[in-house]
Amino acid sequence: MAIYRLARSRTITRFLKTKICPFENIHERFITPNHSLFDAYSSYKTLAADFTRKPHELWDKTANILAFRRFESARAGEQAEAVAYTDDDDDDENQEQDPHDVVQAIDFPGGRVTFTPQIKFISESTDKRVPCYRVLDDDGYPIPGSRFEQVDKETAVKMYKSMVTLQIMDHIFYEAQRQGRISFYMTSMGEEAVNIATAAALSPDDIILPQYREPGILLWRGFTIEEFANQCFGTKNDSGKGRQMPVHYGSKKHNFVTVSSPIATQLPQAAGIAYSLKMDNKEACAVAFTGDGGTSEGDFHAGLNFAAVMEAPVLFICRNNGWAISTPISDQFRSDGVVVKGQAYGIRSVRIDGNDTLAVYSAIRAAREMVIREQKPILVEALTYRVGHHSTSDDSTKYRPLDEIEHWKTARNPLARFRKWVQRHGWWTDEEEAELRGSIRKQVMNAIQVADKTEKPSLKELFTDVYDRLPSNLQEQEKSLSETIKKHEQDFPADVPL
Amino acid sequence: MLGVLRRKVACKANGVSALGQGIRVVASRAFSSSGKEMTVREALNSALDEEMSADPKVFIMGEEVGEYQGAYKISKGLLEKYGPERVLDTPITEAGFAGIGVGAAYYGLRPVIEFMTFNFSMQAIDHIINSAAKSNYMSAGQISVPIVFRGPNGAAAGVGAQHSQCYAAWYGSCPGLKVLAPYSSEDARGLLKAAIRDPDPVVFLENELLYGESFPVSAEALDSSFCLPIGKAKIEREGKDVTITAFSKMVGYALQAAEILAKDGISAEVINLRSIRPLDRSTINASVRKTNRLVTVEEGFPQHGVGAEICASVLEDSFEYLDAAVERIAGADVPMPYAANLERMAVPQVEDIVRAAKRACYRSTPLAATA
């Protein structure tokens, strides 16, 4: 068992002697004050490259600082007076060997680790939470010093129009359920930016594993309003053959894996798909979504741990919208949200303002590039708010204050914020807004009316796809069923085709 | 170096050369063990080897399958031959690696997921049922899941309650899954190959105590393209007085019971189910219509067991042909005890099968009298 003597580095001591907070350091690094507001020629590569140039150094420093914090001074930001050490790879030429400042390290399975004569607990919480990446303020003005990926008019307008479409579609389908025309619906209200900006930032080859509040991605990729309606009404035109309850969309041609109700099961599956993409050498990644509630599932642990160990190119996106049905995040976990969990798995993570379209777009672009270039998982926590109820089976006014909902619906509305930015560029007008809203509304209403009247899938679809080929017992049952129907034709409902 | 070369050769998907390699490798292994006999372990290993060689999309994942050569040595030599990208050792997260396997299958790979025993599959059962079994149906055929979940099932020797449960009935009730239970080496080879090639999710229930047992294998079974049909039972021994159905280890017990019954003048027909889902109802019913008496044997718990399903099926299809009530032999309705004497009482023994068959044959007097 070798014991290594390490010397103090001037850099680190200087670093530690000033009053610091590790997270402040990260913040500083990536919001540099001397960049201009609109860096017209910066590409996403620059943003991602900033991260990847020296990521390990940064994480190592953070880890060391946390480890050195003494038990008595559990508050962050206090002077850490512990003995410093440095890794022997960098700064070698600058250090002064001072025998009084030498620290010892020891080997264990897992690597070399320094030891201290005093118990040092890593604090369970910090004064300062991990800051979130934000580009636009609440009025849609870019924050001074913000760095983001430039978006051209076409993309910006398409994003905005898709957000409006999603919002209107959600509103009208919700009403349709209330009128008894469909059995169930879930809205994505308040999370339009996460939906659409993420979709815009990814490539159509990236395979999406949704939770259930990401229809915006399908919308962006070309799933039509009529197709949404057909799935919700379970008609014969549904590509899902009426097998699933509403909002459980799936589309192989859009690389959108069918929504599965059990929470977080898609997370280890994403690692599996990503591993397959890696074996195939594809320039694409798997993108798995979950909510704040989903991070409590065992599958969250399994998925992230495996992805890190297998070095699978998965982009984990957590929509932290504050509520898991009626469970607020204070009852869900006691960590600083979801972003800090990434480090526990050895996964690089970032927290972003999920209601800021441009922030989401830039962050996802950067994260995706990292995932594919480094073939490692990344965790993105998008802070947002679930404006609507969990689903049509829920009445959230029963467990949260009305004014809170109102606040997020109006003052913190992601559409309004982005619209202001787009309009200020001269890319959108009030007339276009009115026209768009009118036409989408009409299109959605029409789609619903048509779907409502469309035939249901034929009876033979009851038996197909259980297996690759129809097994004998189902063939028998199908035959027996059609014979029974023939015998009692008058009792068989007219609107169900055979 | 040699390992790398061998891997390079084995991984090439050229049909003939790879198969040629396969046959030569298998044949030499078989001849070197004991003529045309093969243990179930060797059978499974050779089946995995050949299927991995023939299709580069097949890969194995599970705890201890790689470096340790397999918890029961079923995947021996495969890591060395195919490399760590195709034989993956996993952390102890059944839910994790089952989920990853399902995801890989969604994408189009053909994973073979090993559970150290099927008792641990309960930690992953949501992925097996809600993801693997139902996906093809729920996605209207867009997402097929060509995955195989395999591992030892049922009682071993002296491993206690949490390592001894039989899951045939649990998985057998789920539409979307195929459930297989091999007995002999030929069963193991043919059914595992069929399972790996099948586009649907397959639960492959092996038996730890059978791994070391040797069975004769035909030359046809040694061929690398050998495959048994899923959903067909095998009549291990023909008879005319009573039908005994069994699967996995109980087939051996049923055959021993048939020998004993023969000495008492009862000719028993032993059916090796091979496939729990789909259940080969036609073979079972044809046999019952011939013998008019039925004894079902299984190791698992009696309530809602495989025997219950067979019994109901025979009542539905061949009621008029039954000359006696159906006899069900199953494990005791208790969590498996550890002590050797108690364990012996909790699992069906050959004498139990013999007694049941005799009851089925002499049941001309009312039930009360035979109590």
Side-chain angles (χ1 to χ4, degrees):
Chain A
M1 194 162 47
I3 297 175
Y4 295 89
R5 289 166 160 259
L6 302 163
R8 173 177 59 177
S9 142
R10 230 189 292 150
T11 337
I12 299 276
T13 335
R14 208 185 307 135
F15 194 66
L16 285 173
K17 275 186 176 152
T18 56
K19 198 164 184 183
I20 48 95
C21 165
F23 305 116
E24 212 172 76
N25 184 53
I26 301 176
H27 184 86
E28 259 171 41
R29 190 145 180 32
F30 299 101
I31 307 230
T32 46
N34 43 8
H35 273 257
S36 57
L37 254 45
F38 299 129
D39 206 329
Y41 302 106
S42 74
S43 70
Y44 64 89
K45 283 188 171 49
T46 319
L47 283 178
D50 273 352
F51 268 100
T52 55
R53 223 178 280 131
K54 287 172 201 166
H56 301 297
E57 180 197 79
L58 186 64
W59 285 118
D60 281 346
K61 279 185 186 160
T62 318
N64 297 342
I65 291 157
L66 289 172
F68 286 142
R69 187 170 301 127
R70 303 173 73 176
F71 178 47
E72 306 94 271
S73 57
R75 287 168 7 109
E78 283 205 356
Q79 256 193 13
E81 45 165 82
V83 190
Y85 91 105
T86 185
D87 269 351
D88 40 12
D89 39 2
D90 49 9
D91 295 327
D92 265 333
E93 53 267 5
N94 295 335
Q95 68 197 16
E96 296 156 355
Q97 288 269 359
D98 186 340
H100 298 297
D101 296 319
V102 155
V103 177
Q104 296 167 328
I106 202 162
D107 276 322
F108 266 115
R112 197 188 314 163
V113 71
T114 58
F115 51 91
T116 86
Q118 285 175 317
I119 304 177
K120 289 179 204 287
F121 284 83
I122 302 175
S123 174
E124 74 275 18
S125 66
T126 60
D127 267 358
K128 288 217 175 128
R129 299 185 54 194
V130 173
C132 78
Y133 170 59
R134 189 182 217 226
V135 168
L136 297 177
D137 65 17
D138 279 334
D139 276 317
Y141 285 104
I143 294 167
S146 61
R147 294 188 65 203
F148 59 95
E149 170 127 7
Q150 188 57 4
V151 170
D152 64 13
K153 175 181 176 181
E154 197 189 325
T155 312
V157 170
K158 184 177 177 193
M159 284 206 283
Y160 181 68
K161 282 166 86 165
S162 306
M163 284 163 73
V164 171
T165 307
L166 178 58
Q167 189 187 60
I168 293 177
M169 196 177 83
D170 269 352
H171 184 74
I172 297 181
F173 275 108
Y174 186 89
E175 291 305 315
Q177 193 279 341
R178 282 285 171 258
Q179 292 165 12
R181 296 167 90 175
I182 52 177
S183 65
F184 178 81
Y185 193 73
M186 296 174 94
T187 66
S188 310
M189 298 209 266
E191 301 182 54
E192 294 89 352
V194 182
N195 265 253
I196 299 297
T198 301
L202 296 170
S203 130
D205 293 329
D206 296 326
I207 299 183
I208 310 289
L209 289 98
Q211 180 67 74
Y212 44 58
R213 232 181 274 281
E214 301 89 12
I217 309 215
L218 261 182
L219 187 65
W220 179 271
R221 288 186 174 188
F223 210 63
T224 64
I225 293 178
E226 290 72 31
E227 285 178 282
F228 282 113
N230 279 314
Q231 198 282 331
C232 289
F233 280 85
T235 69
K236 73 169 199 276
N237 293 330
D238 174 25
S239 55
K241 297 185 194 168
R243 297 275 169 68
Q244 292 257 58
M245 55 192 287
V247 308
H248 286 60
Y249 314 111
S251 174
K252 188 164 183 177
K253 73 172 191 236
H254 295 108
N255 280 328
F256 192 88
V257 174
T258 310
V259 173
S260 172
S261 306
I263 302 289
T265 54
Q266 67 279 8
L267 299 177
Q269 289 167 8
I273 290 188
Y275 189 76
S276 317
L277 285 167
K278 183 176 172 154
M279 277 176 76
D280 266 4
N281 257 313
K282 283 259 166 71
E283 196 159 316
C285 61
V287 183
F289 285 86
T290 183
D292 40 287
T295 66
S296 296
E297 280 281 356
D299 271 338
F300 176 79
H301 166 78
L304 266 68
N305 193 36
F306 265 90
V309 168
M310 288 182 356
E311 294 179 9
V314 198
L315 179 53
F316 290 108
I317 302 180
C318 174
R319 290 176 295 96
N320 183 347
N321 61 18
W323 295 92
I325 311 190
S326 67
T327 309
I329 47 179
S330 55
D331 286 348
Q332 194 70 250
F333 39 65
R334 286 299 160 90
S335 53
D336 172 16
V338 176
V339 65
V340 295
K341 297 185 202 237
Q343 189 179 22
Y345 296 105
I347 294 181
R348 197 177 304 158
S349 343
V350 67
R351 167 175 280 166
I352 64 179
D353 177 352
N355 285 358
D356 180 342
T357 309
L358 292 179
V360 176
Y361 183 81
S362 299
I364 300 292
R365 287 276 273 196
R368 178 187 182 270
E369 203 217 331
M370 268 186 262
V371 165
I372 291 183
R373 191 144 41 92
E374 296 179 56
Q375 294 285 294
K376 285 161 68 160
I378 302 262
L379 171 65
V380 176
E381 179 187 18
L383 298 179
T384 176
Y385 188 85
R386 192 195 79 207
V387 168
H389 307 303
H390 165 71
S391 72
T392 48
S393 311
D394 174 45
D395 176 9
S396 61
T397 60
K398 293 248 157 35
Y399 52 78
R400 56 184 186 173
L402 282 161
D403 55 359
E404 178 186 300
I405 307 174
E406 241 346 88
H407 172 72
W408 285 91
K409 194 168 176 181
T410 52
R412 308 292 296 272
N413 186 310
L415 275 84
R417 194 165 158 199
F418 189 52
R419 177 183 169 185
K420 288 183 183 144
W421 185 83
V422 176
Q423 282 200 238
R424 252 174 243 132
H425 275 256
W427 293 342
W428 192 249
T429 62
D430 287 343
E431 296 79 41
E432 285 174 293
E433 175 85 15
E435 192 199 316
L436 175 72
R437 286 193 177 259
S439 94
I440 295 291
R441 213 190 140 70
K442 236 190 359 203
Q443 197 183 345
V444 176
M445 301 284 274
N446 190 50
I448 288 183
Q449 271 161 12
V450 170
D452 206 357
K453 294 200 195 73
T454 309
E455 267 186 342
K456 302 297 179 201
S458 86
L459 211 55
K460 79 165 167 45
E461 303 298 1
L462 180 61
F463 303 100
T464 54
D465 305 317
V466 181
Y467 296 99
D468 188 57
R469 264 181 281 168
L470 210 60
S472 57
N473 65 323
L474 290 183
Q475 280 174 23
E476 280 168 34
Q477 290 177 30
E478 194 183 354
K479 207 163 67 123
S480 137
L481 178 61
S482 52
E483 278 163 12
T484 312
I485 292 170
K486 272 199 203 74
K487 254 201 283 185
H488 306 276
E489 259 194 78
Q490 67 280 10
D491 295 322
F492 191 73
D495 63 344
V496 182
L498 289 164
Chain B
M1 185 60 190
L2 188 62
V4 173
L5 277 175
R6 280 167 62 206
R7 190 203 329 161
K8 279 197 152 67
V9 170
C11 280
K12 272 211 191 110
N14 307 332
V16 179
S17 62
L19 284 180
Q21 280 279 27
I23 294 177
R24 244 174 283 132
V25 167
V26 168
S28 63
R29 197 181 292 141
F31 287 138
S32 61
S33 44
S34 46
K36 288 210 198 100
E37 282 219 341
M38 202 188 228
T39 61
V40 172
R41 178 178 287 118
E42 286 165 348
L44 293 168
N45 184 273
S46 60
L48 285 170
D49 194 350
E50 286 159 25
E51 292 305 304
M52 286 179 79
S53 167
D55 185 348
K57 294 212 223 65
V58 178
F59 71 97
I60 299 180
M61 189 156 56
E63 293 153 7
E64 312 299 327
V65 292
E67 295 287 346
Y68 195 75
Q69 308 296 318
Y72 298 101
K73 306 292 179 266
I74 305 297
S75 50
K76 186 171 181 184
L78 296 178
L79 173 64
E80 191 196 28
K81 189 168 176 190
Y82 295 102
E85 282 198 347
R86 293 185 68 196
V87 179
L88 287 95
D89 276 327
T90 64
I92 309 179
T93 325
E94 279 74 13
F97 59 78
I100 288 183
V102 170
Y106 281 174
Y107 181 81
L109 296 185
R110 303 189 87 94
V112 178
I113 305 295
E114 174 175 310
F115 290 114
M116 206 177 278
T117 93
F118 265 94
N119 294 273
F120 307 150
S121 75
M122 289 198 288
Q123 294 179 289
I125 202 165
D126 180 83
H127 279 294
I128 301 173
I129 310 267
N130 273 333
S131 297
K134 299 180 186 171
S135 277
N136 197 45
Y137 190 73
M138 293 196 318
S139 72
Q142 292 180 67
I143 301 177
S144 85
V145 193
I147 195 172
V148 175
F149 297 102
R150 51 160 291 274
N153 175 59
V159 288
Q162 294 173 334
H163 293 74
S164 307
Q165 190 167 334
C166 174
Y167 290 86
W170 280 40
Y171 291 119
S173 71
C174 191
L177 282 181
K178 290 185 176 161
V179 182
L180 303 175
Y183 162 62
S184 65
S185 302
E186 201 161 305
D187 285 357
R189 258 182 73 78
L191 291 177
L192 185 55
K193 281 161 154 307
I196 293 174
R197 295 179 202 175
D198 199 285
D200 296 311
V202 180
V203 169
F204 195 80
L205 305 170
E206 303 159 1
N207 187 292
E208 191 200 320
L209 297 175
L210 285 177
Y211 284 151
E213 258 193 60
S214 236
F215 295 87
V217 270
S218 63
E220 187 207 353
L222 290 172
D223 187 86
S224 68
S225 58
F226 175 65
C227 196
L228 283 175
I230 292 180
K232 287 243 38 92
K234 179 183 179 198
I235 299 181
E236 293 284 347
R237 180 191 173 116
E238 292 213 9
K240 52 181 182 51
D241 294 328
V242 60
T243 300
I244 305 179
T245 64
F247 63 94
S248 189
K249 187 147 150 292
M250 291 291 122
V251 176
Y253 282 32
L255 287 169
Q256 288 178 50
E259 276 297 319
I260 298 173
L261 288 164
K263 294 194 185 76
D264 281 334
I266 298 176
S267 150
E269 177 149 294
V270 176
I271 300 184
N272 171 5
L273 292 176
R274 280 181 170 175
S275 175
I276 306 294
R277 177 179 259 271
L279 198 58
D280 190 352
R281 289 192 171 79
S282 48
T283 302
I284 299 169
N285 278 285
S287 173
V288 170
R289 289 177 186 208
K290 185 172 71 167
T291 64
N292 311 124
R293 295 161 204 279
L294 174 63
V295 175
T296 69
V297 185
E298 66 195 295
E299 230 180 16
F301 300 133
Q303 189 167 340
H304 309 300
V306 175
E309 174 61 32
I310 294 176
C311 188
S313 157
V314 163
L315 284 178
E316 284 163 6
D317 292 343
S318 315
F319 180 64
E320 311 84 13
Y321 293 82
L322 283 169
D323 285 348
V326 177
E327 291 276 346
R328 281 190 297 168
I329 299 295
D333 202 17
V334 299
M336 184 68 72
Y338 168 74
N341 61 329
L342 297 179
E343 189 183 30
R344 204 184 173 285
M345 300 289 289
V347 178
Q349 303 297 332
V350 177
E351 308 83 66
D352 298 313
I353 306 175
V354 170
R355 267 203 307 276
K358 285 186 174 168
R359 278 200 303 269
C361 287
Y362 300 144
R363 203 181 289 268
S364 49
T365 49
L367 265 155
T370 59

